[in-house]
Amino acid sequence: MLAVTRRLLPADNYVRSGNWSDAKPSPLMRPQPGNPGRRVGIYGMGEIGRRSPARVAAFETDVAFSAASRHDVPYQYCQVSRRWRNGAAC
């Protein structure tokens, strides 16, 4: 998540290409906002699934989960569907 938020891979490619020596700074190096308004989907609410939302909270994301059954957790439940697997919001 840090690599995506901070555009780490494009910035790495920019530096390796040698273009960093140009006079003007790269737009890739501008501070990027976090992930407000984005959603992290968790598939399953086992031990890892229950601990993951606390870790992604630092990225200011919404959390939605899907599991075989509903759980008493403060996150949005999404029933698994073909659309959800392809990235559609629930």
Side-chain angles (χ1 to χ4, degrees):
M1 289 181 72
L2 282 174
V4 171
T5 301
R6 300 295 179 209
R7 301 185 69 196
L8 185 64
L9 295 178
D12 180 62
N13 289 336
Y14 174 77
V15 170
R16 290 177 189 266
S17 73
N19 294 332
W20 60 271
S21 61
D22 294 343
K24 63 181 187 177
S26 166
L28 294 172
M29 302 303 176
R30 284 192 317 244
Q32 300 293 322
N35 292 314
R38 295 185 184 177
R39 175 176 293 156
V40 172
I42 298 175
Y43 189 79
M45 270 295 163
E47 190 66 30
I48 294 171
R50 289 179 190 268
R51 291 182 181 201
S52 297
R55 288 171 171 74
V56 300
F59 295 97
E60 302 173 341
T61 61
D62 294 329
V63 175
F65 79 95
S66 184
S69 60
R70 293 181 185 244
H71 295 269
D72 188 24
V73 293
Y75 315 113
Q76 181 181 359
Y77 174 78
C78 296
Q79 185 176 5
V80 177
S81 68
R82 190 169 298 187
R83 288 185 62 225
W84 192 78
R85 285 186 219 129
N86 291 330
C90 51

